[in-house]
Amino acid sequence: MKPWPAVCPSNCSVRPLAPSPAQLAAWLQSQHTELSTFTHCNLAPSGRGAAPLIQHPASKHAYVAHHQRTEVTRVLGCHSCCRIDMFSKGTKRKFSDDGDEISDESLAGAQVSSSYSLQRQSLLDMSLIKLQLCHMLVEPNLCRSVLIANTVRQIQEEMTHDGTWQVVTETFCGGSQSPSERLVATEVLCRSREQDAEPKLFSVLSYEGCREEEVVTDETLCSVSVSDTASDVCLSESARHCWERDEFVEVDRDDEACESSRLGPGDDDDDDDNDDDEVDEEEESSRVDPKTMGQVFGTFEIKNSAPGPDSALEELFSDVDASYYDLDTMLTGIQSAPKMGPYDLLDSLAPSHGPPSIGSPSNCRSDLNELDHIMEIIVGS
Amino acid sequence: MELPLHCKLFLDVHLIPDSADVISAVEFSQSGEFLATGDKGGRVVIFQREPQGEYNVYSTFQSHEPEFDYLKSLEIEEKINKIRWLPQLNSAHFLLTTNDKTIKLWKVSERDKRPEGYNLKDEEGRMKDISKITSLQVPVLRPMDLLVEASLRRVFANAHAYHINSISINSDCETYLSADDLRINLWNLDITDRSFNIVDLKPENMEELSEVITVAEFHPHHCHLMAFSSSTGTTRLCDMRSRALCDQHAKLFEEAVDPANRSFFSEIISSVSDVKFSHSGRYLLTRDYLSAKVWDLNMENKPIETYQVHDYLRSKLCTLYESDCIFDKFECAWNGTDSVIMTGAYNNFFRMFDRASRRDVTLEASREVCKRRAVLRPRRVCVGRKKRESDVSVDSLDFRKKILHTAWHPTDNIIAIAASNNLYIFQDRHINRVFSKTFWAVFLVHSSLNLYTI
């Protein structure tokens, strides 16, 4: 598979989890801080190092970094999105007392780059939401999900290279994240459609009103917590706790979350790896993809034949994972409140999120409630 | 530019939009005498060309029904994804239809005679009283009203775990392939309980999935060659003689992306939505989101021709991504002589490119424009100020009206365009017109059928 861009960590996947409002606010604050530092140049962007300063010709108090002439290219594909290609050394400078010594070039450059960051962030948010809500489409589309996931990876990699990823990490995780945590896709929400759902009412097309210039950061749902490992992204603290909770997972499965085959899909069809000649897959594989990105894509699998009653029950109960239930709350909230505008959708998702994800025990309690709810559906009471 | 053609419109029905009638597949038969369309409701409608040149409804049948997977609570749609005709071997016609999961082989046959004069049964089929029979007669065949029957001959099921996106009949007329998002299977038309997997892109770890198969097709002449395209913008040619599993390609057709134009959407817009071999078998036509490319099978590193279908959308990719339009899959088609290629666009526009003269035209398939005996005028999309009254501004394009499915008659200048639940058939009355001189004069016109009323 062709990597994009040059370095493509193979195990990079994305799984956002709705953060608590407090976390969101903190993260937004950090975003704004980060952007303001660009403009006012108190710090060099992380990872860049300082550029040698040269005295601005017009004033002895202002220093500007050697600013390379760059091409402004369209990156995000929007007329309003631009990018400075070789934003190499940062713009360290000091304002003079009169404040009029700032070179137009570098200021414009900084503004453009911050606009680019915002655009990129909103694109990332939009992509994650699309992945989350893919089950609400009229027809499930694996190709679309793969393309969106690849886009998310690209953005993550670029943000990692730019160093902006670090900011997000520190805000959320407080540096205590395990770097080995995998970031997995938003599969959780890409479940099979409920029979009585009305997918046509809400499609991802609810973003019609969202113009590309708008910054969606206020409504971002994604807690993209990042570890210090460049290529991995980890979950927020609480999510990780639930992630690793093995209550409903069989011992012989991986520690990573599995999901209920009733709700999601994720059964791996190992039968295909058998004989090439064999067509019918009567034996459902009991091995479930441990990684949830796999499960997202597993959503699109079609079960070809019913397994035996025992194995079916086993599948139903064996790999239920509690950490999805908080997301399930959001989904239930969505499904019961049709006809929402784009921002209504986003607003409703945030508050409907369960207790703050920092505290794991309370989160687990709500997860149990959700488990009951799901069991009800399964049993069909 | 006015086109001096007269055309015929043979049906003009009031349309009532219903999503089950949205046409999802269009295909001419190998001779061009028949045209089959499939819709989202699982129905297939077959049109036959009359001696006068019009296409009229020949047969309608329900091909696929919706299914429900109880375990995953997933509905398997009955929407017809592809239709492919088999070459005609006898008086009956065979075609393959597929939805997301199951492929079916249908036989469409005519009956215009029936036997009359049975000894033991009367005309209504009731048994006669034997004691009343006094003489014997020989049943004779008498003509009856033409009856077209569609009967299901084969069902090829349970071979695909993902959604089937294409089927293609081999030139040997015995085998065919079916492709889903991750795998391609080879079938024998007579054997339904077994298929061979020839391509498998599914990674060990689904988390690493970054590429899916979008279209697969057999070479028109070489029964061992097949091509498949992927969401990463590559098209692979595989030779089935070299190994049974064709994960290793024989040729890889990919054009390097210009780094200056690279954006976050580059991969998405490079995803190939359709692949068609030319009738000659020498060239390959691929369609990605913004362009159509013609490749020479002998040269892999770049296409020999690139046609921009709607490049004015390049600055709107963000909006199109938001609305999911960027994932629309447009089909493309060659004409009978491989000199013209055609593909659909938005706003009910479709485009044709003449390869020799490099001229192109944009035409519209909509009820307002296509009236009886109307001449289609070329349309133009303008980015800035309108130069002409008939120009359409980029901002006023209707992205809900997309022409995804188009088909070209195998030999004649007749095209079928599916726009939502309407089918338009355009034909050039002057069949022998030379393309290079008056290409644009060809086309346009004529029939508009609302399947809902059929």
Side-chain angles (χ1 to χ4, degrees):
Chain A
M1 305 202 200
K2 193 172 167 164
W4 168 283
V7 177
C8 181
S10 58
N11 292 325
C12 186
S13 41
V14 177
R15 179 185 187 273
L17 199 60
S20 73
Q23 279 187 315
L24 261 183
W27 181 74
L28 287 176
Q29 191 56 39
S30 74
Q31 280 288 85
H32 291 174
T33 314
E34 167 77 358
L35 294 171
S36 62
T37 61
F38 266 43
T39 332
H40 299 293
C41 315
N42 294 323
L43 301 164
S46 51
R48 301 239 176 241
L53 301 179
I54 55 176
Q55 190 166 14
H56 193 278
S59 153
K60 25 182 190 211
H61 298 294
Y63 296 83
V64 298
H66 180 60
H67 187 84
Q68 296 185 5
R69 270 277 164 202
T70 60
E71 290 289 292
V72 174
T73 62
R74 294 166 188 274
V75 177
L76 291 187
C78 317
H79 62 277
S80 59
C81 310
C82 303
R83 174 186 190 181
I84 295 193
D85 264 331
M86 293 154 61
F87 191 95
S88 53
K89 301 298 182 206
T91 47
K92 236 188 195 179
R93 63 185 185 270
K94 218 160 58 160
F95 283 104
S96 72
D97 291 340
D98 348 15
D100 59 354
E101 307 306 332
I102 303 162
S103 109
D104 285 341
E105 247 177 45
S106 31
L107 179 65
Q111 282 175 346
V112 167
S113 70
S114 66
S115 151
Y116 170 78
S117 298
L118 290 177
Q119 299 283 358
R120 183 175 62 186
Q121 185 58 48
S122 71
L123 183 65
L124 177 65
D125 298 340
M126 192 196 324
S127 305
L128 291 169
I129 292 171
K130 276 181 184 296
L131 277 179
Q132 290 182 18
L133 300 177
C134 69
H135 75 290
M136 285 186 167
L137 290 179
V138 176
E139 44 179 280
N141 193 338
L142 179 62
C143 182
R144 176 181 171 273
S145 294
V146 167
L147 289 172
I148 297 174
N150 288 349
T151 307
V152 170
R153 283 189 196 127
Q154 288 172 38
I155 298 177
Q156 282 178 17
E157 278 152 24
E158 194 180 281
M159 287 176 86
T160 307
H161 290 139
D162 281 353
T164 44
W165 211 235
Q166 300 291 343
V167 179
V168 185
T169 311
E170 281 147 22
T171 309
F172 273 131
C173 310
S176 61
Q177 280 298 320
S178 148
S180 62
E181 201 63 70
R182 288 267 163 87
L183 196 69
V184 279
T186 58
E187 64 327 318
V188 169
L189 301 181
C190 285
R191 293 180 195 159
S192 47
R193 275 186 295 136
E194 297 292 329
Q195 180 61 10
D196 53 353
E198 298 172 53
K200 288 178 187 168
L201 285 182
F202 344 90
S203 64
V204 191
L205 296 173
S206 60
Y207 286 89
E208 267 142 20
C210 200
R211 296 188 53 78
E212 57 212 50
E213 294 86 355
E214 289 173 6
V215 176
V216 193
T217 49
D218 285 347
E219 281 115 347
T220 181
L221 299 175
C222 335
S223 76
V224 245
S225 324
V226 181
S227 72
D228 35 2
T229 309
S231 59
D232 289 345
V233 185
C234 55
L235 305 168
S236 66
E237 199 78 39
S238 64
R240 191 164 57 89
H241 288 167
C242 288
W243 199 247
E244 290 173 347
R245 219 163 47 88
D246 280 345
E247 269 185 31
F248 302 103
V249 176
E250 280 184 4
V251 181
D252 55 348
R253 312 229 175 185
D254 292 354
D255 288 344
E256 304 276 340
C258 305
E259 67 178 7
S260 148
S261 60
R262 160 68 179 80
L263 297 176
D267 283 307
D268 200 281
D269 54 329
D270 282 335
D271 2 355
D272 275 22
D273 303 314
N274 300 340
D275 248 344
D276 281 349
D277 302 347
E278 212 123 0
V279 160
D280 52 334
E281 307 165 3
E282 49 259 322
E283 277 311 307
E284 282 294 340
S285 165
S286 57
R287 186 169 67 82
V288 174
D289 260 331
K291 302 294 180 282
T292 43
M293 172 71 94
Q295 288 157 350
V296 158
F297 299 136
T299 313
F300 303 103
E301 280 184 51
I302 301 169
K303 288 279 187 290
N304 285 321
S305 49
D310 287 342
S311 59
L313 282 178
E314 211 179 357
E315 279 164 16
L316 285 176
F317 298 121
S318 61
D319 42 16
V320 167
D321 176 75
S323 67
Y324 295 134
Y325 301 150
D326 37 17
L327 297 170
D328 184 41
T329 317
M330 292 196 288
L331 282 185
T332 322
I334 296 169
Q335 287 175 1
S336 61
K339 310 254 194 224
M340 290 188 290
Y343 295 103
D344 295 339
L345 181 72
L346 296 171
D347 285 342
S348 71
L349 286 174
S352 68
H353 177 63
S357 36
I358 297 295
S360 50
S362 53
N363 206 13
C364 295
R365 207 170 300 128
S366 71
D367 294 339
L368 284 174
N369 292 335
E370 296 312 316
L371 176 60
D372 284 341
H373 169 67
I374 286 159
M375 287 307 304
E376 267 181 32
I377 298 174
I378 292 172
V379 173
S381 55
Chain B
M1 170 168 53
E2 197 103 358
L3 303 166
L5 282 190
H6 53 277
C7 37
K8 277 180 14 148
L9 187 75
F10 63 80
L11 204 61
D12 193 350
V13 190
H14 223 38
L15 73 91
I16 304 166
D18 182 342
S19 72
D21 295 329
V22 171
I23 300 172
S24 52
V26 182
E27 185 78 2
F28 278 99
S29 67
Q30 311 248 353
S31 63
E33 186 191 352
F34 294 95
L35 172 68
T37 63
D39 63 19
K40 276 184 86 172
R43 255 186 339 169
V44 170
V45 181
I46 300 180
F47 300 88
Q48 183 187 31
R49 192 173 180 193
E50 302 292 317
Q52 302 83 9
E54 301 174 9
Y55 279 84
N56 286 320
V57 177
Y58 179 69
S59 171
T60 305
F61 57 93
Q62 186 73 32
S63 169
H64 285 76
E65 298 280 355
E67 291 170 51
F68 189 69
D69 181 335
Y70 292 92
L71 199 62
K72 290 171 76 172
S73 194
L74 258 183
E75 187 172 304
I76 295 164
E77 289 196 348
E78 68 274 30
K79 173 171 79 99
I80 307 292
N81 290 335
K82 280 283 155 61
I83 296 176
R84 289 289 183 261
W85 290 86
L86 266 64
Q88 190 176 4
L89 297 173
N90 51 33
S91 60
H93 308 277
F94 289 85
L95 62 155
L96 281 176
T97 62
T98 182
N99 69 345
D100 284 338
K101 180 186 151 179
T102 307
I103 306 148
K104 295 185 179 179
L105 177 68
W106 291 90
K107 174 182 175 183
V108 180
S109 50
E110 293 180 10
R111 198 188 300 184
D112 60 354
K113 295 182 180 49
R114 68 162 179 227
E116 284 178 20
Y118 284 107
N119 289 297
L120 295 176
K121 286 193 269 190
D122 64 14
E123 295 306 315
E124 281 85 41
R126 287 189 298 251
M127 295 298 290
K128 287 182 186 170
D129 185 3
I130 295 183
S131 59
K132 301 242 173 76
I133 297 172
T134 53
S135 62
L136 287 177
Q137 56 183 348
V138 177
V140 292
L141 289 173
R142 295 203 192 284
M144 59 181 255
D145 290 339
L146 180 65
L147 178 70
V148 179
E149 307 173 296
S151 55
L152 181 61
R153 305 302 282 186
R154 306 262 191 278
V155 178
F156 304 92
N158 297 332
H160 286 279
Y162 298 93
H163 292 153
I164 298 175
N165 52 53
S166 38
I167 48 177
S168 175
I169 299 176
N170 205 345
S171 48
D172 64 9
C173 303
E174 283 184 13
T175 57
Y176 74 95
L177 64 77
S178 59
D180 65 26
D181 291 323
L182 294 177
R183 298 191 178 98
I184 301 179
N185 292 335
L186 183 70
W187 301 83
N188 183 302
L189 282 165
D190 289 329
I191 300 171
T192 59
D193 61 352
R194 187 180 305 216
S195 78
F196 291 92
N197 177 252
I198 51 177
V199 173
D200 190 343
L201 290 193
K202 184 174 178 182
E204 273 281 320
N205 184 357
M206 278 297 273
E207 207 186 33
E208 294 168 5
L209 179 65
S210 62
E211 182 179 27
V212 299
I213 298 171
T214 48
V215 184
E217 201 186 38
F218 266 121
H219 191 279
H221 308 311
H222 302 300
C223 57
H224 53 84
L225 280 182
M226 51 91 73
F228 71 94
S229 60
S230 76
S231 59
T232 55
T234 61
T235 306
R236 276 168 253 227
L237 190 71
C238 296
D239 188 332
M240 298 196 298
R241 295 172 299 184
S242 54
R243 59 181 74 206
L245 249 195
C246 294
D247 287 358
Q248 299 288 328
H249 53 265
K251 286 184 190 261
L252 179 76
F253 298 93
E254 185 178 18
E255 187 176 23
V257 178
D258 180 11
N261 277 339
R262 208 169 238 188
S263 72
F264 288 119
F265 301 113
S266 292
E267 183 183 333
I268 300 179
I269 61 171
S270 71
S271 169
V272 178
S273 58
D274 198 14
V275 170
K276 289 271 168 39
F277 279 99
S278 65
H279 290 95
S280 62
R282 167 94 188 263
Y283 302 103
L284 201 60
L285 173 63
T286 61
R287 172 75 157 99
D288 49 72
Y289 189 63
L290 295 179
S291 65
K293 296 177 181 173
V294 175
W295 303 78
D296 185 324
L297 286 188
N298 302 318
M299 185 164 76
E300 301 168 61
N301 60 339
K302 62 183 169 90
I304 55 172
E305 293 150 28
T306 302
Y307 300 97
Q308 298 299 333
V309 179
H310 37 203
D311 204 52
Y312 43 77
L313 296 183
R314 201 176 283 273
S315 56
K316 292 184 167 291
L317 291 178
C318 210
T319 320
L320 294 167
Y321 180 70
E322 263 183 299
S323 62
D324 270 4
C325 286
I326 207 173
F327 301 109
D328 287 335
K329 295 200 158 95
F330 292 95
E331 290 177 8
C332 53
W334 294 90
N335 77 332
T337 55
D338 298 337
S339 57
V340 181
I341 62 173
M342 169 176 72
T343 186
Y346 291 107
N347 212 65
N348 282 343
F349 288 167
F350 61 99
R351 306 207 66 203
M352 284 192 274
F353 300 91
D354 181 38
R355 295 176 61 209
S357 66
R358 295 304 182 119
R359 288 162 67 189
D360 61 86
V361 70
T362 303
L363 303 166
E364 183 176 0
S366 72
R367 304 185 60 79
E368 296 76 38
V369 175
C370 300
K371 297 188 182 7
R372 208 171 275 274
R373 298 198 179 270
V375 168
L376 274 182
R377 294 166 197 273
R379 308 302 308 270
R380 220 162 66 129
V381 178
C382 59
V383 181
R385 214 171 31 88
K386 277 193 188 182
K387 292 199 184 99
R388 278 175 232 170
E389 197 49 49
S390 61
D391 283 0
V392 176
S393 149
V394 175
D395 300 314
S396 63
L397 288 175
D398 189 343
F399 290 97
R400 294 165 307 170
K401 297 183 184 168
K402 44 192 100 169
I403 293 187
L404 303 173
H405 308 287
T406 57
W408 203 307
H409 190 281
T411 50
D412 298 343
N413 295 337
I414 304 173
I415 57 176
I417 310 281
S420 174
N421 58 342
N422 282 314
L423 176 72
Y424 297 89
I425 302 177
F426 302 123
Q427 77 183 16
D428 174 17
R429 304 300 277 157
H430 305 268
I431 300 290
N432 297 322
R433 188 182 297 261
V434 176
F435 271 109
S436 57
K437 285 202 179 149
T438 46
F439 171 66
W440 317 124
V442 174
F443 291 112
L444 305 166
V445 164
H446 94 169
S447 67
S448 135
L449 299 154
N450 182 352
L451 296 188
Y452 183 75
T453 61
I454 291 168

